[in-house]
Amino acid sequence: MRPARRAVRARLTALLVVFTVLLAGCSGGPERRPDGPVELRFLSLAWQKESVDATRELVAEWNAAHPGVQVRYVQGGWDSVHDQLLTSFEGGEAPDVIHDASDDLADFAHGGYLADLRGLLPARLKADIPRRSWRTTTFGQGVYGVPFLQEPRVIMANKKILESSGVRIPTPAEPWSWPEFRRVAKELTARMGEGRYAVAWPLKEPVSVSLNLGLSAGGRLFHRGGDGRVRLRFTPGDAVVPATVRGQINTDGSAPRTTLGMGGSDTLPGFFGGKYAMVPLGFSYRQQIARQAPEGFEWTVLPAPAGRDGTAQGVSPQTLSVAQESPYRREAVRFVDFLLQPRNMVRLARGDWMLPTGTRALADPALRTAEHGWATGVALAELLRPAPAQSVRGYPEWKDKVATPAFQEYYSGAIGAAELERRLVTDGNLVLARYQR
């Protein structure tokens, strides 16, 4: 029995040594290398085939050119990424390189799970991405992700219906105003006939749509005071977009109530069938339309309506971050820099049918073509701003428990503007206060 006990003690001692080394790596101590090549785990949330293919190709190119630093592609999913990351952080098993969205980073950054990239980012990358985009991944004094893909909300339109109606067709240089959009939708619906509508609003997730488009009218809802605390305040600018949508549904009859519980993809059959002339959707939905539209269906991409601040709108870019516990943070940032070289950023953007954040990538002729509305999206890029709730702690709870049901009831006509404001602001500030003690 004694030799067995000595063996057990020896194994326990060895495990303790390994555990101590891992802790040193996680705490930012001296980086240690294994005998073989460094392996970086890269959690990717690419999901469209073109996007997955482009990302995997870039990983293969990196691995072929960097035998000493090999990247292992790990497929993740948008629906489960927050819980997946939280579990991996708390269990000490986080990927080295993390694909996510900027509005999911605040709690992870404040929790110490993500590396501050300020001293690691190359000058080229810092200069290529505009400051407004860097603001989406800046929390306090630190930068906790690299914003690389962004998606404006646009209007997908049935080209034949719009052109035959005689209404003015908006352009990025001369968009519709919100009042004009409402008038056009009412006029168009009257011409389309019974059971058909000018616009369909898929509002299963109404909060980001309402807040991000609200920036065009000067709405912000979230206001940070001199003490650093964020408070909710409802201004006339915050009311413009919600009032337009509610008016189209409940007063004008130019938008159906039936689409309020739908996701974007759910509205496409009706769009293809001519039931809806226009559907406000994220820019990447062009991929589904291009692949699924019936033969002969003609469509175009229009800018979202403009308010006092033009076509400004909020976005939460896709991001690449590095885990604080990774012992290979410098290697991870070098891989991120490779992925986001201008030519590679274009490949990723085209694969996801989104816009790159990098100025050199945005200038690429491949993204400035009129085909599939690419040029319309690029023209809107200058006015994309951080989403209003970008760095607000407690936003996910406010969105799920307060804002989503409030907006859903308001758009359906169940509550009025005063009750919407009370819920968003009074109930909302109680939620935020718990995160700002």
Side-chain angles (χ1 to χ4, degrees):
M1 294 295 292
R2 289 181 179 177
R5 289 176 180 172
R6 284 198 297 270
V8 169
R9 290 195 191 98
R11 285 196 295 271
L12 288 174
T13 301
L15 287 172
L16 183 60
V17 170
V18 170
F19 183 64
T20 302
V21 170
L22 288 174
L23 283 177
C26 293
S27 63
E31 296 183 356
R32 297 179 183 273
R33 299 292 186 272
D35 293 335
V38 167
E39 181 182 85
L40 300 176
R41 287 179 299 150
F42 169 36
L43 176 68
S44 171
L45 302 182
W47 65 277
Q48 300 190 85
K49 183 180 184 304
E50 294 160 288
S51 178
V52 172
D53 289 347
T55 306
R56 285 187 176 275
E57 287 168 5
L58 287 170
V59 169
E61 290 172 19
W62 166 275
N63 286 339
H66 301 83
V69 181
Q70 295 289 284
V71 174
R72 177 158 63 92
Y73 182 99
V74 179
Q75 185 64 61
W78 285 106
D79 290 341
S80 59
V81 66
H82 184 87
D83 291 341
Q84 180 184 355
L85 285 173
L86 186 59
T87 300
S88 66
F89 285 137
E90 293 181 346
E93 296 291 337
D96 300 276
V97 180
I98 298 164
H99 182 183
D100 201 354
S102 58
D103 60 356
D104 193 39
L105 299 185
D107 288 342
F108 293 145
H110 287 292
Y113 295 123
L114 301 177
D116 183 352
L117 303 179
R118 284 178 299 171
L120 300 171
L121 292 169
R124 178 208 68 81
L125 190 57
K126 288 191 288 186
D128 188 49
I129 296 175
R131 183 175 299 177
R132 62 178 180 272
S133 295
W134 284 116
R135 283 169 48 206
T136 66
T137 59
T138 299
F139 305 98
Q141 299 299 313
V143 174
Y144 296 94
V146 182
F148 72 106
L149 293 179
Q150 55 192 346
E151 180 176 26
R153 191 163 291 267
V154 294
I155 297 175
M156 309 298 181
N158 184 312
K159 191 174 181 182
K160 287 183 179 179
I161 291 178
L162 255 67
E163 290 182 346
S164 65
S165 71
V167 301
R168 184 180 78 83
I169 308 298
T171 65
E174 295 185 46
W176 286 325
S177 66
W178 284 103
E180 184 181 9
F181 174 51
R182 186 171 172 181
R183 289 196 304 271
V184 166
K186 189 174 181 179
E187 177 183 342
L188 194 56
T189 300
R191 295 184 181 185
M192 290 175 66
E194 188 175 354
R196 304 171 75 198
Y197 302 88
V199 59
W201 284 98
L203 290 174
K204 184 178 181 180
E205 301 288 344
V207 181
S208 63
V209 177
S210 306
L211 267 60
N212 289 341
L213 289 179
L215 283 184
S216 66
R220 287 207 58 83
L221 201 59
F222 294 86
H223 300 266
R224 191 177 297 276
D227 59 359
R229 294 169 63 88
V230 175
R231 295 173 179 84
L232 289 151
R233 188 169 71 251
F234 199 86
T235 68
D238 294 301
V240 171
V241 172
T244 300
V245 176
R246 179 187 166 98
Q248 288 177 329
I249 295 169
N250 296 283
T251 304
D252 305 340
S254 57
R257 187 176 283 106
T258 52
T259 64
L260 290 178
M262 291 185 180
S265 298
D266 300 327
T267 61
L268 294 185
F271 180 54
F272 297 148
K275 185 175 182 178
Y276 320 125
M278 299 178 288
V279 186
L281 292 169
F283 197 55
S284 64
Y285 275 91
R286 297 171 304 127
Q287 191 262 6
Q288 290 187 51
I289 296 173
R291 299 290 181 263
Q292 298 173 14
E295 187 175 352
F297 181 80
E298 296 183 31
W299 58 283
T300 188
V301 178
L302 309 177
R308 75 173 201 192
D309 293 335
T311 53
Q313 61 176 280
V315 291
S316 296
Q318 293 187 22
T319 58
L320 293 173
S321 300
V322 176
Q324 173 63 23
E325 71 181 46
S326 172
Y328 308 121
R329 293 189 289 275
R330 294 189 181 279
E331 289 86 347
V333 171
R334 287 203 293 271
F335 171 65
V336 169
D337 183 48
F338 165 79
L339 282 182
L340 303 186
Q341 293 289 324
R343 64 183 181 279
N344 294 341
M345 198 183 282
V346 171
R347 290 165 66 182
L348 293 171
R350 288 183 63 84
D352 243 339
W353 289 65
M354 296 177 73
L355 296 178
T357 58
T359 53
R360 290 177 61 189
L362 274 171
D364 193 293
L367 300 182
R368 293 181 171 265
T369 175
E371 185 181 19
H372 297 147
W374 279 105
T376 298
V378 171
L380 299 174
E382 282 293 320
L383 285 173
L384 298 181
R385 300 289 182 264
Q390 193 66 65
S391 61
V392 177
R393 299 197 70 185
Y395 168 73
E397 181 180 344
W398 173 83
K399 180 184 74 171
D400 294 342
K401 295 183 179 180
V402 176
T404 294
F407 274 120
Q408 287 174 336
E409 291 181 43
Y410 176 73
Y411 288 138
S412 71
I415 63 173
E419 178 63 10
L420 173 69
E421 179 178 348
R422 187 197 69 77
R423 291 199 197 177
L424 295 179
V425 176
T426 304
D427 295 352
N429 278 325
L430 292 175
V431 172
L432 297 190
R434 295 203 309 272
Y435 291 82
Q436 301 182 99
R437 291 171 179 167

